[in-house]
Amino acid sequence: MGTGKRGLIASGVAVVCAVTVLAAPGTAFASPTPTPGASASSTPMPTKDLEAVREKLDKLYREAAAATDAYNAAEEKAQRQSAELVELAKKIVEGREELRELKERAGAAARAQYRSGGLPDEAHLMLSDDPQDFLDGAGRVLRGQHATKGLIAAMTRAQQDLEQYSEDASAQWKKLEAGRKAKASAKKKIEERISAAEDLESQLEESEKKRLAELEKQAALKAQTAWLDSGVLDEISGKATEQGKKAVEYATAQIGKPYEWGAEGPKTYDCSGLTSQAWASAGSPIPRTSQQQWQQLTRVDVEDMRPGDLVIYFDDASHVALYVGDGAIVHAPRPGRTVTLAGAGSMPILGVVRPGA
């Protein structure tokens, strides 16, 4: 990559670092040098031990992110299943009303026959002495038979439909209950992982927390530098579409807002909540979770990505960010962090997907 372009990126990055605390895992553009004036513990934790803490925290937050994806998927499915259950309930009510009306019609026909002496129409017809009455009566009998058959068939269909709606509702309810259990399980895992991470961080001295923040930045910077040194940025020259520009504009306007798992804005976001809302604002709704976005959206080569595309991270597609250009992304990193800019290569890239393709 040309030194001019690299210098331009470095200058832009320096400005970003000056005004925001870049989050890990996924923050690039941070100085690898220690923070001047940081207070030191009387017995500072060895760097290798602090690095182990960083890796443990990264693992805990990644597991929380994966569980968050599972929670969001279960929540979305529960909403869809609840809506379907409501529709089935409406059909059951309508079916019962239709069956009631059909039974009333059948009852009315039976009462009419009783009032005529209990004889069927065919018997009355045979007892008629008037030829014209006989002919008129024959037509009425045929129409009556047809109507009776139609009424019986309609009652049978209504009863069958009602039974099917009831079976479908029962099956849907079981799915809803299973989804609720999956959602509860995911929520428990999220809370356990976040709690463990927070407990681990709380055991650190203030000076160690500052050193840990530097290690996080260094790890992200190292990954971003390796990504840039591959020359990939020289190949990326895609122009943003109008929708892509709107998505980028929305996402960057959220910078500084807190991360919250399961949140879709407008005050807090998780990673896929940010990207899904960014594209919804651009008029192109996309799946809710990072894994669904990876599975369902059009995949493009990293070299072909353009602003507005989504960068999917880690082997389990548990994190997603929105590419803004010049090798940078905007994303909601993890609990305790805010929506921020970072290097697109500061985390292991699984692939790139394109909404609206």
Side-chain angles (χ1 to χ4, degrees), residues 101-115 151:
E101 292 176 357
L102 289 170
K103 286 181 178 179
E104 284 185 357
R105 287 171 56 190
R111 289 191 296 272
Q113 182 172 316
Y114 175 79
R115 286 194 297 270
L151 183 60

Side-chain angles (χ1 to χ4, degrees), residues 60-61 63-64 188-198:
L60 287 169
Y61 281 124
E63 289 175 350
K188 181 180 179 182
K189 186 173 183 179
I190 294 167
E191 293 173 341
E192 286 177 348
R193 298 304 187 274
I194 292 176
S195 178
E198 291 174 344

Side-chain angles (χ1 to χ4, degrees), residues 83-96:
E84 291 173 357
L85 196 57
V86 169
E87 288 303 312
L88 284 169
K90 289 179 180 178
K91 288 181 179 180
I92 289 173
V93 171
E94 292 169 358
R96 285 175 176 168

Side-chain angles (χ1 to χ4, degrees), residues 24 49-55 57 200-201 204 206-218 334 337:
D49 292 344
L50 201 55
E51 178 63 22
V53 170
R54 185 192 70 80
E55 292 177 356
L57 287 172
L200 183 57
E201 288 182 288
L204 300 175
E206 284 303 314
S207 61
E208 291 169 340
K209 290 179 181 178
K210 292 179 180 179
R211 289 172 57 206
L212 178 63
E214 289 300 327
L215 287 176
E216 291 173 341
K217 293 177 183 178
Q218 289 174 24
R334 62 146 168 105
R337 300 291 192 260

Side-chain angles (χ1 to χ4, degrees), residues 12 18 60 92 110 118 132 165-167 174 202 231 257 273 277 283 285 293 331 348 355:
L60 287 169
I92 289 173
Q132 186 60 46
Y165 294 151
S166 297
E167 289 177 7
K174 289 179 181 178
S202 69
K257 293 184 178 181
Q277 288 303 302
Q293 290 167 7
H331 71 146

Side-chain angles (χ1 to χ4, degrees), residues 52 118 121 136 165 171 198 223 229 259 319 322 324 342 350 353 356:
D121 291 339
D136 293 342
Y165 294 151
E198 291 174 344
D229 286 345
Y259 176 101
H319 191 66
L322 190 129
V324 298
L350 176 62
V353 294

